[in-house]
Amino acid sequence: MSDDDNSPISARAAKQLFAGLRSAPALLLAVSGGPDSVALMWLAARWQRGLARGPQLTVATVDHGLRPEAAREAREVKRLAAELGLAHRTLRWRGAKPKTGLPAAAREARYRLLAQAARSVGASHVLTAHTRDDQAETLLMRLVRGSGLAGLSAMARLTERDGIVLVRPLLDVPKSQLIATLKRAKIGFADDPTNRDTAFTRPRLRALLPQLAAEGGDSRSLARLAARLSRANAAVEVLVDGAERFLQLQARGDAPQAGVRSFEASAFANLPEEVRLRLLLRAVNALGHEGPAELGKVEALSAALDQAMNQGMNQGMAAKPRAPANGRAILKQTLAGALISLAGGRIHIVPASARRSPRGRRGDVKGGS
């Protein structure tokens, strides 16, 4: 860790962190009371005070109703926000909590509540306090889960969610520097014990970081890896865009139909595997009605398509697969609420019919006819 990682953030550095947000009408700051988010609030307030005319800042604290201390921490954030001249709102996650997958459910609830609050105050952006340390932990989490290139790109500085832009201005800043900033300003912060609860994956991986750092895998190098993978992922996306246009040109003689994605099978088969996977993923996510498709299931779908196309070729179909004489599709499968079929030398993706009952659910990537 460099000396800079333990030094407070200067007013000039803070100005650079928020520079691209100066023209926004209003910003919502997500502040839990921990050191990262309290530092975000303090830095943003200092930046705003230095502007002749800057965006209106509102602070929001989400109380998930999971810890008795959360209400007190929200009140403390409200007190500090008032000292800084900022409005504050406490957002509560009400209702029953799931027994499994709690961190993911809490995260979804948090972003939903933040987006609603942002719209209510006219904010175009929600600022969160994710740091370089969080980026390194996210990369490790996705690595052990076998994520693809897009997942290993980890978190982006800007993303869109529910019509609101999420901004992570501290993504290149180490947590130690934020703590040093608060100590110099003599500002206290809360300590969330769930950050050390080894019942959850992230704290367990966080405990490994000192050992990885001793081998050169500190948060700086891991965040740099995520940035490089993000760069590679962006390049692949450009290739996928080009492949999509190419397949559209190949289908020039066929009139496009609303709510349908269709590819010439032989042209599709000649594309690199990663490009084919992403084309399928785009189509399924665009036309399916059961949420984003899992990469592993898209890989299984792609393998089934390859097998079906090869089978068609082996049956004497010349340049491209054709439907059997009885008119039935060579392959028909459902995935994430989309129906994918191979017939007449073309791959078709359309919305699947709604499931009638829990019994006999048309499975994700089940064998077709």
Side-chain angles (χ1 to χ4, degrees):
M1 183 179 293
S2 69
D3 291 339
D4 289 343
D5 288 352
N6 293 301
S7 61
I9 298 173
S10 66
R12 176 178 295 182
K15 183 178 180 180
Q16 294 174 345
L17 291 174
F18 303 106
L21 300 168
R22 182 172 181 170
S23 60
L27 303 172
L28 186 76
L29 310 178
V31 181
S32 65
D36 303 346
S37 60
V38 169
L40 171 69
M41 176 172 60
W42 189 82
L43 290 166
R46 184 173 65 170
W47 163 72
Q48 185 204 44
R49 286 197 301 269
L51 300 175
R53 186 177 180 181
Q56 176 184 340
L57 301 183
T58 300
V59 177
T61 303
V62 178
D63 182 352
H64 294 91
L66 301 174
R67 296 183 299 112
E69 304 89 351
R72 175 181 53 79
E73 292 166 3
R75 290 193 298 269
E76 184 60 23
V77 173
K78 182 178 181 179
R79 181 194 63 76
L80 181 55
E83 290 180 3
L84 296 171
L86 305 179
H88 178 272
R89 293 186 172 200
T90 298
L91 315 176
R92 292 179 174 83
W93 183 26
R94 304 186 186 278
K97 309 300 188 291
K99 295 182 179 179
T100 60
L102 183 59
R107 183 170 57 252
E108 286 298 316
R110 178 166 64 252
Y111 283 122
R112 184 183 70 252
L113 291 168
L114 288 170
Q116 292 171 355
R119 283 190 287 269
S120 70
V121 299
S124 54
H125 300 70
V126 172
L127 276 60
T128 65
H130 292 98
T131 66
R132 192 175 74 192
D133 302 68
D134 295 316
Q135 183 75 304
E137 293 164 11
T138 299
L139 174 67
L140 288 177
M141 288 182 69
R142 296 180 180 180
L143 181 65
V144 298
R145 291 172 181 171
S147 293
L149 183 58
L152 293 176
S153 301
M155 294 181 285
R157 189 177 185 276
L158 296 174
T159 55
E160 188 276 335
R161 191 184 184 105
D162 297 329
I164 300 293
V165 179
L166 294 179
V167 188
R168 301 176 178 94
L170 308 180
L171 202 54
D172 295 325
V173 179
K175 185 186 190 78
S176 57
Q177 197 170 13
L178 297 177
I179 293 176
T181 302
L182 294 178
K183 286 183 176 179
R184 172 171 288 187
K186 295 182 172 56
I187 297 175
F189 50 84
D191 177 30
D192 185 350
T194 59
N195 288 328
R196 299 184 301 276
D197 189 347
T198 55
F200 301 115
T201 303
R202 187 178 286 270
R204 290 197 299 271
L205 291 175
R206 183 177 296 135
L208 296 176
L209 282 173
Q211 300 174 53
L212 291 175
E215 300 296 334
D218 59 7
S219 65
R220 185 188 298 273
S221 62
L222 292 173
R224 184 168 57 241
L225 173 59
R228 288 171 174 169
L229 292 171
S230 178
R231 191 171 63 213
N233 182 62
V236 174
E237 281 294 290
V238 172
L239 295 178
V240 178
D241 291 340
E244 206 162 32
R245 289 192 294 271
F246 167 74
L247 291 174
Q248 289 171 356
L249 289 174
Q250 292 292 106
R252 184 172 290 173
D254 299 324
Q257 302 177 48
V260 178
R261 298 282 178 95
S262 181
F263 309 130
E264 185 183 68
S266 59
F268 179 84
N270 288 328
L271 295 171
E273 183 178 4
E274 180 67 17
V275 174
R276 298 200 308 271
L277 286 170
R278 294 191 184 214
L279 286 170
L280 289 173
L281 187 63
R282 285 185 183 185
V284 169
N285 286 344
L287 299 175
H289 50 77
E290 295 179 4
E294 296 177 17
L295 177 58
K297 292 183 178 181
V298 178
E299 289 171 336
L301 170 64
S302 180
L305 283 169
D306 287 345
Q307 182 178 5
M309 287 188 285
N310 290 333
Q311 180 181 357
M313 293 293 185
N314 293 335
Q315 289 176 352
M317 301 175 186
K320 59 183 181 180
R322 297 181 181 277
N326 60 12
R328 296 177 63 192
I330 300 174
L331 175 140
K332 185 179 289 186
Q333 297 184 351
T334 58
L335 173 59
L339 174 64
I340 302 94
S341 60
L342 173 63
R346 299 192 68 82
I347 298 167
H348 302 278
I349 301 100
V350 299
S353 301
R355 293 174 176 174
R356 297 178 181 176
S357 69
R359 290 186 177 181
R361 294 172 64 184
R362 282 207 314 235
D364 288 336
V365 191
K366 289 176 67 175
S369 55

